[in-house]
Amino acid sequence: MATPVPVMDDISIAALTADPYPSFRRMREAASAVWVSDARINLVTRFDDIMTVERDHGRFASTNPGSLMNKVMGHSLMRKDDEAHQVERKAIEPSFRPGVVKNHWTPVFDAIADRLIDAFVESGETDLFGSFAAPMASLCLNEMIGFRNVAWQDLAAWSQALMDGVSNYGTVPETATRAAAASDAIDAAIDAVLDRYRDRPDATILSSMLHAEHAHSIEQIRANIKVIIGGGLNEPRDSILTTVYGLLLNPDQRARVEADPKLYRPAFEEAVRWVSPIGMYPRRVTRDTVLGDTALKEGDQLGICVGAANRDQSRFSDPDAYDVFRDRGQHLGFGAGPHFCAGTWVARQMVGEIAVPKLFDRLPNMQLDDDKPARLSGWVFRGPVSLPVRWEV
Ligand code: HEM
């Protein structure tokens, strides 16, 4: 028998931001969906329920006319379903294909990683957040989009301003103003380069959009570039740091991975399960329905907590542990269904084949800095906000 969604009013956003996993466990044990009063949304935290949602976009839509994301970024592919979504998804795919990633983007990413490491390799200590992971993710995305003359710091600031704007729910005027300014700056950066790709197609995302089978309006190009800036930067940054953190916390696993570099890929994949960079994303209930043991109403907003599902004890044994060698089942860190992350192959290559192996290779005997502990934060997006390390020079 389905019951109404239970209310949890003793879970605060502050507690979720500091460490969401104890609260996620309580929610998983309580019901298929729980209303968290402080977050003002129904959260879905069990692995099987999320699979049900992702398999049925008729009942659980991405399209959401009132969404703040549409207001801040324009109407992107992420908030469309069916044909409208597929056309725009297909348009960007040429830049993301495994062959293009391997042959075109790998040398670009390789050079960026080496250049960044060159700048601090002699120092013996650094905070990998600011010196490596943030610029690596931003410089790589800059190249992929096809911008010219955009500083990585600006791209990173635009990304942050957009993400803050999307989760602002209109309450803080300065946040909305900063998001609008970032949106205008991105439009200008697109306008500055678009013409160069009309006659000279290449592997960049702007070029792919311009030469797509179904012509894109400038509004579609702008909205989808903004989604890619919002969603293609923090996640590689955070997964670089989480993979390094997981390996440094577990010396036995690190030794085995260093001895057999093809294990960096599963080390990355396990990091995305363990601390999922996107912890939660939204869906909308299109009609009165039942999900697992709860009854939902048309128009209910759902927060799909893949960060919780990836620690579901019915799916993963010892789910809170970072274990490169666990029995590998599917995780939900890249989402599922039609909106499955378009950048999965890029992230696997950038993080699992280039950024993390290079750090371990070039920073001999890299260790966590005992005097400056790593700090992690967030639940909608989660990752290390500081990762100080030392090595031998
Ligand atoms: C470890 C790195 C990454 C993680 C964990 C990740 C995670 C995700 C997740 C969970 C979604 C689904 C969101 C939803 O359904 O609402 C998604 C979608 C998406 N991601 Fe990623 N992502 C990563 C890297 C990237 C990169 C590097 C790019 C681009 C350069 C990218 C581009 C996209 C796009 C365009 C979508 C929307 C796909 C669609 O709506 O069809 N992602 N990502």
Side-chain angles (χ1 to χ4, degrees):
M1 244 282 282
T3 56
V5 175
V7 174
M8 284 194 170
D9 46 21
D10 58 346
I11 292 178
S12 67
I13 289 182
L16 287 167
T17 304
D19 178 5
Y21 300 111
S23 304
F24 281 163
R25 180 180 282 263
R26 277 185 57 205
M27 291 181 225
R28 279 194 311 265
E29 284 165 1
S32 289
V34 299
W35 172 260
V36 174
S37 309
D38 203 21
R40 304 193 53 72
I41 194 164
N42 302 291
L43 296 181
V44 179
T45 53
R46 295 175 182 167
F47 192 102
D48 290 343
D49 292 327
I50 292 181
M51 290 307 286
T52 302
V53 168
E54 291 298 11
R55 285 191 185 116
D56 191 346
H57 279 229
R59 280 193 298 158
F60 306 105
S62 296
T63 315
N64 197 345
S67 116
L68 199 53
M69 186 185 233
N70 290 0
K71 211 170 141 197
V72 171
M73 299 189 185
H75 194 184
S76 77
L77 82 166
M78 243 176 162
R79 291 287 166 273
K80 293 182 181 175
D81 288 305
D82 306 318
E83 177 74 16
H85 166 252
Q86 279 159 30
V87 163
E88 294 185 22
R89 173 83 186 215
K90 217 167 146 220
I92 60 171
E93 265 167 16
S95 303
F96 290 92
R97 287 193 186 116
V100 175
V101 173
K102 194 163 188 305
N103 299 322
H104 186 87
W105 297 120
T106 295
V108 176
F109 297 167
D110 245 348
I112 291 171
D114 275 324
R115 188 154 46 83
L116 289 169
I117 297 174
D118 287 345
F120 60 75
V121 66
E122 297 301 335
S123 67
E125 60 177 326
T126 193
D127 185 335
L128 287 174
F129 182 97
S131 63
F132 186 70
M136 174 83 195
S138 190
L139 288 162
C140 293
L141 191 67
N142 225 341
E143 291 288 336
M144 284 197 73
I145 291 172
F147 282 152
R148 293 279 182 279
N149 302 320
V150 170
W152 76 259
Q153 293 89 341
D154 285 342
L155 193 66
W158 295 341
S159 175
Q160 197 56 52
L162 290 179
M163 298 326 288
D164 291 346
V166 164
S167 43
N168 180 29
Y169 297 101
T171 48
V172 185
E174 305 83 66
T175 307
T177 308
R178 256 191 315 117
S183 180
D184 290 346
I186 293 167
D187 291 347
I190 294 172
D191 291 346
V193 293
L194 211 52
D195 276 344
R196 68 180 291 138
Y197 299 114
R198 284 189 208 281
D199 307 325
R200 282 172 290 166
D202 65 11
T204 61
I205 299 169
L206 282 170
S207 174
S208 295
M209 285 176 174
L210 270 181
H211 297 281
E213 193 184 334
H214 293 268
H216 274 39
S217 66
I218 185 70
E219 286 75 24
Q220 285 171 300
I221 293 177
R222 286 175 172 173
N224 288 336
I225 290 292
K226 283 169 203 167
V227 147
I228 288 168
I229 293 174
L233 199 149
N234 288 6
E235 296 75 11
R237 178 195 72 196
D238 294 349
S239 61
I240 291 171
L241 296 169
T242 305
T243 311
V244 171
Y245 186 52
L247 288 172
L248 293 182
L249 281 178
N250 294 278
D252 296 351
Q253 297 183 48
R254 176 225 183 127
R256 288 173 68 184
V257 171
E258 282 193 291
D260 182 3
K262 56 176 192 308
L263 293 173
Y264 280 110
R265 269 289 289 280
F268 159 71
E269 214 65 42
E270 169 65 355
V272 173
R273 181 203 67 81
W274 183 49
V275 181
S276 304
I278 295 186
M280 188 273 265
Y281 54 78
R283 293 289 182 259
R284 181 178 53 89
V285 180
T286 61
R287 55 176 181 268
D288 291 0
T289 190
V290 169
L291 176 67
D293 55 16
T294 50
L296 300 172
K297 298 235 172 314
E298 179 183 346
D300 279 352
Q301 300 289 338
L302 302 182
I304 305 302
C305 293
V306 290
N310 281 337
R311 297 219 185 178
D312 187 331
Q313 55 277 32
S314 74
R315 189 81 188 187
F316 302 100
S317 61
D318 198 7
D320 294 329
Y322 176 78
D323 181 1
V324 178
F325 304 97
R326 66 171 59 252
D327 283 343
R328 204 140 296 287
Q330 179 195 6
H331 68 76
L332 292 172
F334 292 108
H339 290 273
F340 183 78
C341 175
T344 308
W345 280 103
V346 172
R348 286 181 175 145
Q349 190 71 6
M350 186 199 304
V351 181
E353 302 277 352
I354 298 172
V356 174
K358 260 192 211 297
L359 282 174
F360 280 95
D361 195 40
R362 295 198 56 197
L363 307 180
N365 197 21
M366 176 172 50
Q367 305 290 338
L368 292 170
D369 187 334
D370 291 335
D371 299 332
K372 300 178 206 156
R375 283 183 292 117
L376 280 79
S377 178
W379 67 287
V380 177
F381 303 97
R382 185 166 178 85
V385 290
S386 175
L387 186 62
V389 294
R390 292 176 178 278
W391 62 95
E392 289 159 11
V393 284

